[in-house]
Amino acid sequence: MVIPVGLLNFATEPIPSLLPETPDVPAKVVTTPEEIIILREFLLRGSFLHADDNYGMDKSFRREMKRVFPNKDFVELPYDHPLFHSYYDFPNGLPKVHEHDGKDPQAFGLFNEDRLMVLYTYECDLGDGWENQEVHD
């Protein structure tokens, strides 16, 4: 079940899993100083954030995550990462769900020690694969 909420609605209790929703192109991610603090705390306390580049949010999402974790950099996940072999087997990494610029799909992560806190999927548009097919007809 997906429930749209703002981070400020949950200032004291972390949310186990977050999936930011962005409007159609161009998507721009902007967070307030309060949201930065809450998001950092949520992620350090065990929450997980998956952001799927909805074709246009790459620059703003990377900028905002740098505000959340100034000392961390995104690391590209190799094809042998457990994420690609946990439930389903994706030997070639992310699937290409939607064609934008012909680039290969990539998965990037921000880690707290060995734990993946943030998964950022780029150039694959996984969200399109989750939507009703009628949206794309």
Side-chain angles (χ1 to χ4, degrees), residues 44-88:
L44 289 174
R45 288 170 51 193
S47 292
F48 174 76
L49 169 67
H50 171 217
D52 187 43
D53 177 33
N54 191 18
Y55 196 60
M57 71 177 224
D58 185 57
K59 268 180 136 172
S60 61
F61 182 73
R62 288 176 183 269
R63 180 196 65 233
E64 294 304 296
M65 290 312 299
K66 199 54 147 167
R67 290 177 60 209
V68 176
F69 292 108
N71 298 323
K72 293 188 183 295
D73 294 313
F74 277 107
V75 175
E76 186 169 3
L77 302 182
Y79 293 165
D80 64 349
H81 189 277
L83 176 75
F84 301 123
H85 307 282
S86 296
Y87 190 78
Y88 293 104

Side-chain angles (χ1 to χ4, degrees), residues 97-111:
V97 176
H98 185 78
E99 194 67 39
H100 289 299
D101 294 328
K103 297 176 185 172
D104 290 335
Q106 295 173 283
F108 298 95
L110 287 180
F111 292 83

